[in-house]
Amino acid sequence: IICVDEETLGEYGKFENWSRQKAAELVEFLCKDMQTAPSVVAFDFMFTGESDAETDQRLADACEKAGNVVMATNLVYRGETKKTQSGEVYFDAWNIEKEEYPYEALKLVTDSGYTNVQMAKDGFVRYAQLFTQTKEGLRNSFAYEIYQKYSEENGVKVDIPMHSSRNQVAFRYSGDVGEYYHVSLRDVLNGTIPTSEFTDCIVLIGA
């Protein structure tokens, strides 16, 4: 995990004021040599809408060259009244109105998956919905898209048993908060941490 942590914010300022050049620099750094590159680079925040044309294009170019980048999307749910084949009327609370994607140039050169999660009654996330049907077709979750991409890269067979008709799997947490190896984005961008640290890994960039 490459963290946008307090040290990073202290160095570069508020996240909402960042240029997308930093994301481009990170992809370029991680994937400058594909022999030592991660298997998957995944951004756990949204890049919706165009901003600065030059930096937008630089990020898209970096991701296209890397060929291993997964971006986050967001499913927008809006309940809708529907009819069954027999004519019975019902309310579909899980109706997906649309999916919010990265800006077009980035969408075209990256893979993506939705980051929506569902909380259990005890306030924890205990189920993962691997994929769902949208108006655009079958869409993978962010986690499942990353897993599939990593599996394909490393010749691993993808075989996950479903928990329910809603394409969910139940899971147990394997460790404590902070147990995964994590570094500061600041330390990666300033060259303190070599790219060899990330070879063949799944690299998640987020909070």
Side-chain angles (χ1 to χ4, degrees):
I1 300 173
I2 297 179
C3 303
V4 181
D5 54 11
E6 291 300 323
E7 289 76 16
T8 302
L9 297 176
E11 182 83 12
Y12 301 121
K14 293 182 179 179
F15 179 75
E16 57 267 27
N17 297 331
W18 287 14
S19 161
R20 287 171 179 167
Q21 180 173 327
K22 287 202 170 41
E25 290 174 355
L26 179 61
V27 175
E28 290 165 353
F29 175 77
L30 292 173
C31 302
K32 62 183 177 182
D33 181 353
M34 295 311 292
Q35 295 298 314
T36 59
S39 289
V40 184
V41 177
F43 285 89
D44 192 17
F45 39 74
M46 300 281 290
F47 289 101
T48 54
E50 283 77 10
S51 58
D52 174 70
E54 183 177 345
T55 54
D56 280 0
Q57 192 58 53
R58 181 176 175 182
L59 177 56
D61 289 345
C63 292
E64 182 175 25
K65 183 178 179 181
N68 62 352
V69 180
V70 177
M71 291 291 174
T73 71
N74 178 58
L75 299 178
V76 178
Y77 290 92
R78 182 158 295 175
E80 187 176 88
T81 301
K82 296 181 178 180
K83 282 187 178 181
T84 64
Q85 290 183 340
S86 62
E88 183 180 351
V89 177
Y90 71 99
F91 184 74
D92 180 9
W94 296 102
N95 177 67
I96 299 170
E97 182 180 70
K98 63 180 180 178
E99 185 172 3
E100 297 173 329
Y101 286 95
Y103 61 92
E104 190 65 18
L106 190 60
K107 176 185 175 183
L108 291 173
V109 297
T110 57
D111 296 306
S112 63
Y114 59 89
T115 55
N116 307 64
V117 296
Q118 296 159 18
M119 306 291 284
K121 292 180 179 179
D122 59 4
F124 289 90
V125 178
R126 299 197 180 279
Y127 299 91
Q129 185 186 45
L130 303 187
F131 49 86
T132 193
Q133 188 72 35
T134 71
K135 294 174 183 177
E136 299 178 20
L138 201 63
R139 294 285 292 142
N140 287 339
S141 70
F142 183 65
Y144 194 46
E145 185 68 27
I146 292 167
Y147 177 68
Q148 283 197 325
K149 197 167 185 65
Y150 179 83
S151 298
E152 290 166 6
E153 179 75 18
N154 293 277
V156 179
K157 182 181 178 182
V158 177
D159 185 17
I160 301 178
M162 293 297 105
H163 170 73
S164 72
S165 60
R166 297 197 61 243
N167 310 319
Q168 291 181 325
V169 292
F171 62 87
R172 294 182 181 178
Y173 289 95
S174 60
D176 296 325
V177 173
E179 189 165 313
Y180 285 98
Y181 177 58
H182 62 281
V183 296
S184 172
L185 176 60
R186 178 198 64 179
D187 293 339
V188 177
L189 289 179
N190 67 20
T192 301
I193 300 170
T195 55
S196 58
E197 288 290 306
F198 309 106
T199 302
D200 297 332
C201 292
I202 292 173
V203 175
L204 294 171
I205 302 103

